[in-house]
Amino acid sequence: MSIKHASRLFAIFIVLAVLFASCTSQRTPTPQVIASSPTPVPTREISMSTPAFTGGMFSDAVPQGLKDRLAGYEVPFNASLNLDVAKSGVDGIHFQWVYALVAPFPTVTDGVTFVDLRTAWDGNPPRPPFSLSPLLMADSTLRAFTALWGEPADGSVRSVDADRLLDTAWDESAWAIVPFESLEPQWKVLTVDGQSPIRKGFNVADYPLIVNFTLESADVVDSSSWALSNYDSSKLTTVIMTGVTALVRATAVTMELKGSTYPGQK
């Protein structure tokens, strides 16, 4: 092999080596900056309203309706409050709570005297239904009237959960005492000494099923906008309905034959 030919081969080898090295060399990638939106921070609304009855104490005699109503009123933070059946000589904010003597709607009896009711409470029921089954009421109602009338005689009164009171009364054909706000269409409201809270002319002063509660407070509480009773006569609606007046079937045929005045002739 000539020297010239060998030099040419060597040059070709050098070129191929350089090309191979350039193809296999690693290049460091240029870092990329990726813009991203910041993760949103969850937020919440903070109520700045005055806590209601933070330090309040309720007697077990207080009905749930009164508790619910008071929960919506605002009082000074950590106010010292006590709500119980009103006692003589105790000052505070006074609530007048109306209750009703009720029975299952198909009951025939329309009312009783207060003497009969108290006699049954004391364990000497004068007549049915007091003599057949105990008077039913929620535990808070029982405690409220016990504060007024004293302990009932054994077996004369029975405490029933408020949400089962209606069904229990219907199942047992029993009467009950409920707060006015707990009335439902399935109840028949009975009069006591001729007074009924669902009738016009209702006189609170002459009605015996009233419990007064007093809210005592060591702090100044503005109750000027509070509703102090569960009974408002201005919201009472009276519906007057007639009996059946449809003259149909055989009566209608007779009227067609003998004249429209025939049914009223005799």
Side-chain angles (χ1 to χ4, degrees), residues 65-78:
L66 181 52
K67 292 179 182 179
D68 293 341
R69 180 174 298 184
L70 291 176
Y73 297 144
E74 293 186 351
V75 298
F77 183 71
N78 285 334

Side-chain angles (χ1 to χ4, degrees), residues 60-217:
D60 290 335
V62 178
Q64 188 61 47
L66 181 52
K67 292 179 182 179
D68 293 341
R69 180 174 298 184
L70 291 176
Y73 297 144
E74 293 186 351
V75 298
F77 183 71
N78 285 334
S80 177
L81 303 167
N82 182 51
L83 180 65
D84 201 351
V85 176
K87 299 178 178 63
S88 178
V90 176
D91 294 328
I93 302 170
H94 300 288
F95 296 88
Q96 185 182 69
W97 226 246
V98 177
Y99 291 76
L101 177 64
V102 294
F105 191 79
T107 301
V108 175
T109 304
D110 292 325
V112 297
T113 66
F114 180 54
V115 172
D116 286 345
L117 183 58
R118 280 302 310 272
T119 301
W121 178 276
D122 294 333
N124 300 300
R127 57 192 174 98
F130 297 126
S131 59
L132 301 178
S133 61
L135 192 62
L136 307 179
M137 59 191 69
D139 183 66
S140 62
T141 303
L142 174 58
R143 292 175 182 271
F145 282 96
T146 297
L148 298 181
W149 299 346
E151 289 288 341
D154 291 341
S156 63
V157 179
R158 189 166 97 242
S159 174
V160 178
D161 290 343
D163 58 351
R164 296 193 302 108
L165 192 56
L166 180 62
D167 290 339
T168 303
W170 274 70
D171 291 342
E172 301 179 7
S173 297
W175 292 6
I177 294 179
V178 300
F180 182 73
E181 70 273 14
S182 298
L183 292 179
E184 299 184 45
Q186 296 92 330
W187 286 123
K188 177 178 181 178
V189 179
L190 307 177
T191 62
V192 180
D193 285 346
Q195 291 290 327
S196 168
I198 64 170
R199 292 187 181 179
K200 283 188 174 182
F202 173 62
N203 188 347
V204 175
D206 294 336
Y207 187 63
L209 300 185
I210 300 286
V211 180
N212 294 303
F213 295 91
T214 300
L215 178 66
E216 302 175 64
S217 174

